[in-house]
Amino acid sequence: MSKSVAIAFGGGGARGLAHIHAIEALDELGVKPVAIAGSSIGSIMGAAMASGMTGKDIHHYALTMLGRRAEVASRIWKARPGSFAEIVERGFRLGQFNIERVLKAFLPEAVPDTFEELDIPLFVTATDYFGHKLAVFDSGDLNSAIAASSAIPAAFRPVIRDGCLYVDGGIYNPVPFDILMGKADVVIAIDVVGAPMPVDDKRPSTLDLMFGADQLMMQSIISAQLQLSRPAILLRPPVSRFRVLDFLKADQVMMATVSIKDDLKRALTPLLEA
């Protein structure tokens, strides 16, 4: 009897491009997860995989899309505030961009509109801001759920869904492997949060400090989670030297983290054969 596998893709912005290697590893092993959970960038990668895209498909799409600055600029321009009046009303500030528009500009066409159209069950985490709790979406509109999960407060506006205000899923659950416990024989967790690192002996900027403090907070949450339960496989690719919004360094992120593919194969193969 073959073992069932579920995988949790953690949040980490551009560092989450490393998830693509894990998807490719599963493809090469012929493993189709019975369930996927994702937080922030992990929800995007999880949605792509759950929609039926292969790791090679996602890899090609990401590098083609993010490798052309002109293409990125064009799509960001399309996702800008809807009108001059909207800009004047809200003012220029951090978090100006509407993450739902950004996702519509960048998500592959293969990703459907609803959870129900996915090939693999997907669980997307977000933070219910005024409800002070974790939210897990697994049905209904997919884009708004991914947007809620990916709404990093310093970069994007919060997302309103069903009358509630949501922000980044990583605030409450950076690597949502706990959602998958009991749903498969083998649960895999990929942590791409990373940690602050010094750069050229320079003092970090205010923005760097803000994002770095967020990393430290998320690492403390992950540590607490691991004391309660542990996935069968936990992998942490070397992503700390990359910043959360380093999407234009996609090729560098991918090259720096390619070892995770073999790491996952080595860890998973004996568990499947046991």
Side-chain angles (χ1 to χ4, degrees), residues 166-188:
Y166 296 101
V167 294
D168 185 9
I171 293 174
Y172 256 88
N173 199 337
V175 189
F177 63 84
D178 55 310
I179 294 171
L180 300 175
M181 302 303 279
K183 297 184 184 298
D185 298 315
V186 178
V187 174
I188 302 166

Side-chain angles (χ1 to χ4, degrees), residues 47 50-51 107-118 142-143 146:
S51 70
L107 279 179
E109 291 184 4
V111 176
D113 294 330
T114 67
F115 281 88
E116 288 75 14
E117 297 171 83
L118 294 170
L142 181 58
N143 188 73
I146 299 173

Side-chain angles (χ1 to χ4, degrees), residues 148-217:
S149 186
S150 305
I152 302 171
F156 303 108
R157 295 180 197 167
V159 171
I160 297 175
R161 177 181 165 123
D162 300 326
C164 296
L165 192 77
Y166 296 101
V167 294
D168 185 9
I171 293 174
Y172 256 88
N173 199 337
V175 189
F177 63 84
D178 55 310
I179 294 171
L180 300 175
M181 302 303 279
K183 297 184 184 298
D185 298 315
V186 178
V187 174
I188 302 166
I190 313 294
D191 173 11
V192 293
V193 169
M197 291 185 67
V199 179
D200 300 326
D201 296 324
K202 294 180 181 178
R203 295 184 63 179
S205 67
T206 300
L207 196 60
D208 287 334
L209 286 169
M210 182 170 60
F211 282 130
D214 192 48
Q215 284 177 285
L216 296 175
M217 177 197 70

Side-chain angles (χ1 to χ4, degrees), residues 41-86:
I41 184 68
S43 71
I44 297 173
M45 293 297 174
M49 186 183 195
S51 70
M53 292 182 73
T54 66
K56 286 186 178 179
D57 291 338
I58 301 168
H59 193 152
H60 176 73
Y61 184 86
L63 291 189
T64 300
M65 179 70 64
L66 299 173
R68 299 193 302 238
R69 288 177 178 267
E71 179 70 16
V72 172
S74 172
R75 290 176 183 255
I76 287 291
W77 175 251
K78 292 177 183 177
R80 70 193 185 281
S83 66
F84 182 74
E86 186 176 348

Side-chain angles (χ1 to χ4, degrees), residues 80-119:
R80 70 193 185 281
S83 66
F84 182 74
E86 186 176 348
I87 297 173
V88 171
E89 176 186 353
R90 295 179 178 273
F92 292 98
R93 63 186 188 278
L94 289 174
Q96 179 72 54
F97 280 97
N98 182 320
I99 182 63
E100 292 181 84
R101 287 183 190 155
V102 172
L103 286 175
K104 286 179 180 178
F106 282 94
L107 279 179
E109 291 184 4
V111 176
D113 294 330
T114 67
F115 281 88
E116 288 75 14
E117 297 171 83
L118 294 170
D119 293 341

